[in-house]
Amino acid sequence: MLAEQFELLADLMEIGSADSFRIGAYRKAAARIRDTPSSVAQLALDGKAKQLQGIGKTIEAKIVEVVEDGEIHALAKRKAEVPAEVAIFMRLPGLGPKTARRIWQELGITTVAALQAAANAQQLRGHAGIGAGTEEKIAAALAQPRATEGPRRALLGTTLPKLRAVVEVLRAHPAAVEVSLAGSARRMRETVRDLDIIATATDPQALVDYFCSLTWVVDVAAKGTTKATVVSHDGARFDLRVVPPESYGNLLQHFTGSKHHNVALREDAVRRGFSVSEYSISETESGEEHCFAREEDVYRFLGYDWIPPELREGAGELAAARNGGLPELVELADLRGDLHTHTTWSDGKDSLEDMVAAAQARGYAYYAICDHAQRLRGERLHAQAEQIDALNEVVAPFRILKGIEVNIRPDGTLDVDEADLATRDWVVASVHSRFEDSPTERVCAAMESPYVDCIGHPTNRRIGNRRPAPIDLDRVIEKALETGTFLELNAQPDRLDLSDVHARAAREAGLKVVIDSDGHQIGALDYVELGVGQARRAWLTRDDVVNTRTWKQVEKLRKRR
Ligand code: DGT
Ligand code: CA
Ligand code: CA
Ligand code: ZN
């Protein structure tokens, strides 16, 4: 993908110790490309990408290189000099570009697999400036399955809008009957590898031809009479399958996955005398075949309730669907307010008035402005409070809450005193620096404050860029329950923090979470949809989510000040 190419270029330059100005510029460009909902590749082709902040003429030219040649030319050159996987080394805990370079040049290690083997065999310590402690951290980090997944998977948040646009375009074609997303995007998985679309059509070939001829398609990797795989300008792969209407339910079920879910479903079916394939379900004894036009009927025939796609991960959903035990999952429309947002009072891009107007337009009843404490020192805190009071008179009964996002310092104290916290309606406390330093103790200490309502982005991961801090979530959840503090499910596309696994652990412990956009601009308020998707993957119901309640109910539910 486009953004990843700029990231990788910056990484490889850093390892080769090139000048830092250009490295920073490439990283900024990558971030801008990720944040821009429309195709930056298309903008570059039209000569308009340089109108975006952080993208100038040189970078625009590089984007055009990707569209035309598949890769930034400078990246191809760097790849010839530095093995690409060495870039992954520098993201491991305790390592930076210098050590990554030394591991490669002094130890001759060029792949993650070789690095892992060396760390496990304790062959790194004493070399390339690495001590035993760092070696242990490397081994532990590489033992996590997602450690090296990195840039090969795209963020759901940047991909979903594009995928939906494609689905809409296909639906509008006269030959199309049904068009649905499938695969990991339909399951709202936080990252996706390729994008799957399932359709039925009166003329399958016509729909496949049309799909391959869309303007943003730069490469048709495979094409047949009923399916095609294409690559878009920005490097995303799309799989389209046009299927017979009478088996649409079977195929949609199959291609939605996950693989684990499908394997478990098939094994369960075999035990009950059925054999499930992509196209049909057959009875083992009689050989009789059953095709289903509707996915609901596939599940019903096998004795299950219909399972929402977000739950299809082979994590207990089949058993629950058999005995009426599926949770009634939270929905986007259940959210009544957003409890973590920013404005131009700190690092937000839109003004307080504009953010509030956007929140009203979404149908919210309340909305917390949580600008960073370090930008609200002294008079500014009171000045913002006055602005909120005045605006509240205009927008009532809509309620703007005077929130604040405070820093949890390395020693666990907060960077705002109690007297000031007492003037705010809602307090989010987050770690913003030294993520690796005793995160559990710091977060637990912050929760002791009677004013801290919620812990923001608890693990501080940045998907693809920064691994979760080594925080003991079980202890944090326990402390949250004990103190009456909530944990946030931060919905920023590269945060989604709590993750699905962590949010499910919270639910199982009886802890409620807050789904927040952490929006820094109007468009970012939409991120809550990703947060709700993640919450659904975590089996969360409306009751498990704090901000499905009225503000009055939230005030009753939270800790006493
Ligand atoms: P991705 O693309 O890695 O983000 O994840 P998916 O889930 O979209 O995976 P993909 O595109 O490889 O395949 C789409 C679906 O096809 C997958 O969710 C389930 C089904 N599928 C793929 N491989 C297998 C398999 O080996 N066995 C079964 N039963 N189903 C499979
Ligand atoms: Ca896929
Ligand atoms: Ca696929
Ligand atoms: Zn924030």
Side-chain angles (χ1 to χ4, degrees):
M1 292 225 165
L2 203 46
E4 273 88 48
Q5 288 207 17
F6 280 100
E7 285 285 3
L8 184 58
L9 178 58
D11 288 353
L12 296 182
M13 286 174 70
E14 214 168 341
I15 290 165
S17 66
D19 76 74
S20 62
F21 169 73
R22 279 189 300 155
I23 293 171
Y26 294 150
R27 292 208 196 282
K28 272 200 201 104
R32 176 62 55 212
I33 292 165
R34 288 214 175 89
D35 283 354
T36 307
S38 53
S39 165
V40 177
Q42 188 60 57
L43 289 173
L45 286 179
D46 300 338
K48 286 185 193 148
K50 47 184 176 300
Q51 290 166 10
L52 297 171
Q53 215 186 348
I55 295 187
K57 241 170 58 188
T58 338
I59 290 189
E60 182 171 270
K62 288 187 159 49
I63 298 172
V64 173
E65 290 171 7
V66 178
V67 177
E68 289 177 348
D69 304 323
E71 191 165 60
I72 303 172
H73 298 171
L75 177 59
K77 205 177 119 226
R78 293 276 167 185
K79 275 184 177 168
E81 293 163 6
V82 184
E85 286 196 20
V86 174
I88 298 170
F89 299 177
M90 66 181 251
R91 303 223 181 277
L92 294 169
L95 300 189
K98 282 204 195 85
T99 315
R101 182 169 62 242
R102 291 184 66 184
I103 291 174
W104 157 46
Q105 291 182 341
E106 294 172 24
L107 296 170
I109 295 174
T110 56
T111 64
V112 171
L115 182 67
Q116 185 169 22
N120 290 341
Q122 307 197 337
Q123 290 164 351
L124 295 177
R125 56 183 68 180
H127 299 283
I130 295 172
T134 304
E135 184 184 63
E136 276 164 25
K137 277 193 201 160
I138 294 173
L142 290 175
Q144 291 183 18
R146 295 214 180 153
T148 56
E149 218 171 52
R152 279 171 297 128
R153 299 184 63 88
L155 293 176
L156 177 68
T158 39
T159 312
L160 201 55
K162 298 175 199 173
L163 179 58
R164 286 189 177 143
V166 175
V167 167
E168 280 316 305
V169 162
L170 291 177
R171 268 191 194 136
H173 190 270
V177 182
E178 306 261 14
V179 185
S180 170
L181 30 151
S184 49
R186 185 169 179 230
R187 303 195 313 276
M188 297 293 280
R189 200 177 153 188
E190 63 197 29
T191 60
V192 294
R193 187 179 49 92
D194 67 1
L195 302 165
D196 304 282
I197 303 173
I198 298 286
T200 60
T202 50
D203 180 352
Q205 184 74 70
L207 193 63
V208 170
D209 287 345
Y210 175 64
F211 177 63
C212 294
S213 73
L214 293 167
T215 54
W216 48 266
V217 171
V218 288
D219 184 27
V220 178
K223 186 179 169 193
T225 50
T226 58
K227 61 182 178 184
T229 299
V230 304
V231 182
S232 74
H233 280 324
D234 41 11
R237 291 177 78 86
F238 291 80
D239 269 350
L240 169 68
R241 280 184 185 72
V242 186
V243 307
E246 62 276 15
S247 306
Y248 178 67
N250 300 79
L251 283 143
L252 181 60
Q253 192 286 319
H254 175 80
F255 286 108
T256 296
S258 66
K259 192 171 158 180
H260 287 307
H261 173 83
N262 286 355
V263 168
L265 178 130
R266 287 176 181 202
E267 284 173 0
D268 197 16
V270 167
R271 282 192 291 272
R272 289 162 205 271
F274 298 107
S275 158
V276 176
S277 80
E278 296 170 45
Y279 299 99
S280 65
I281 302 172
S282 40
E283 298 182 31
T284 327
E285 206 126 290
S286 64
E288 194 185 339
E289 268 201 86
H290 303 266
C291 296
F292 299 98
R294 286 157 27 97
E295 193 185 56
E296 286 84 347
D297 296 332
V298 174
Y299 284 104
R300 185 168 311 142
F301 182 82
L302 291 171
Y304 304 110
D305 294 332
W306 179 77
I307 302 174
E310 295 92 333
L311 294 184
R312 300 183 197 171
E313 295 294 343
E317 72 278 9
L318 288 167
R322 197 171 279 293
N323 60 32
L326 286 175
E328 222 175 282
L329 299 178
V330 61
E331 291 176 14
L332 183 58
D334 292 334
L335 297 189
R336 296 184 194 237
D338 195 331
L339 289 171
H340 180 174
T341 68
H342 296 265
T343 74
T344 46
W345 280 88
S346 65
D347 56 349
K349 300 279 185 293
D350 286 308
S351 70
L352 196 151
E353 295 92 330
D354 290 349
M355 292 299 273
V356 167
Q360 287 182 286
R362 292 184 67 90
Y364 286 151
Y366 54 91
Y367 182 78
I369 305 280
C370 298
D371 280 307
H372 295 283
Q374 71 265 23
R375 295 291 305 278
L376 293 176
R377 299 288 181 220
E379 256 318 293
R380 284 176 60 80
L381 187 70
H382 308 293
Q384 194 201 49
E386 277 172 18
Q387 188 192 359
I388 292 175
D389 285 338
L391 193 53
N392 258 331
E393 303 221 330
V394 181
V395 297
F398 183 89
R399 176 83 186 268
I400 312 164
L401 300 165
K402 287 171 219 153
I404 191 163
E405 182 172 17
V406 302
N407 287 322
I408 305 174
R409 296 196 189 107
D411 66 359
T413 58
L414 305 174
D415 71 340
V416 176
D417 60 38
E418 294 212 330
D420 280 340
L421 291 183
T423 67
R424 307 305 283 189
D425 299 311
W426 182 257
V427 177
V428 177
S430 324
V431 171
H432 284 112
S433 63
R434 312 250 306 256
F435 306 108
E436 310 266 327
D437 291 353
S438 340
T440 311
E441 292 72 20
R442 288 161 73 188
V443 164
C444 287
M447 289 193 281
E448 296 279 1
S449 163
Y451 297 103
V452 170
D453 297 299
C454 186
I455 298 296
H457 39 75
T459 77
N460 271 301
R461 70 170 176 166
R462 289 281 194 172
I463 300 169
N465 275 321
R466 186 168 69 216
R467 68 195 49 259
I471 190 166
D472 183 342
L473 243 298
D474 290 335
R475 263 181 68 198
V476 168
I477 289 170
E478 204 178 298
K479 189 74 173 181
L481 285 166
E482 182 193 314
T483 55
T485 316
F486 305 123
L487 295 185
E488 175 180 72
L489 198 172
N490 185 299
Q492 286 191 8
D494 66 342
R495 286 195 187 269
L496 288 170
D497 180 9
L498 300 175
S499 68
D500 45 10
V501 171
H502 287 153
R504 189 165 174 187
R507 164 183 155 85
E508 279 164 9
L511 177 65
K512 301 195 190 315
V513 306
V514 185
I515 299 177
D516 287 331
S517 71
D518 196 1
H520 286 64
Q521 55 198 9
I522 288 170
L525 297 184
D526 291 341
Y527 291 157
V528 289
E529 186 195 4
L530 305 172
V532 170
Q534 191 84 328
R536 291 166 63 88
R537 291 174 58 80
W539 294 53
L540 267 54
T541 65
R542 179 207 275 227
D543 183 60
D544 297 319
V545 178
V546 173
N547 49 325
T548 57
R549 293 169 173 73
T550 64
W551 174 242
K552 236 193 183 134
Q553 291 168 330
V554 175
E555 280 190 298
K556 271 208 196 116
L557 189 69
R558 70 166 163 184
K559 68 170 80 153
R560 289 265 180 80
R561 294 188 153 196

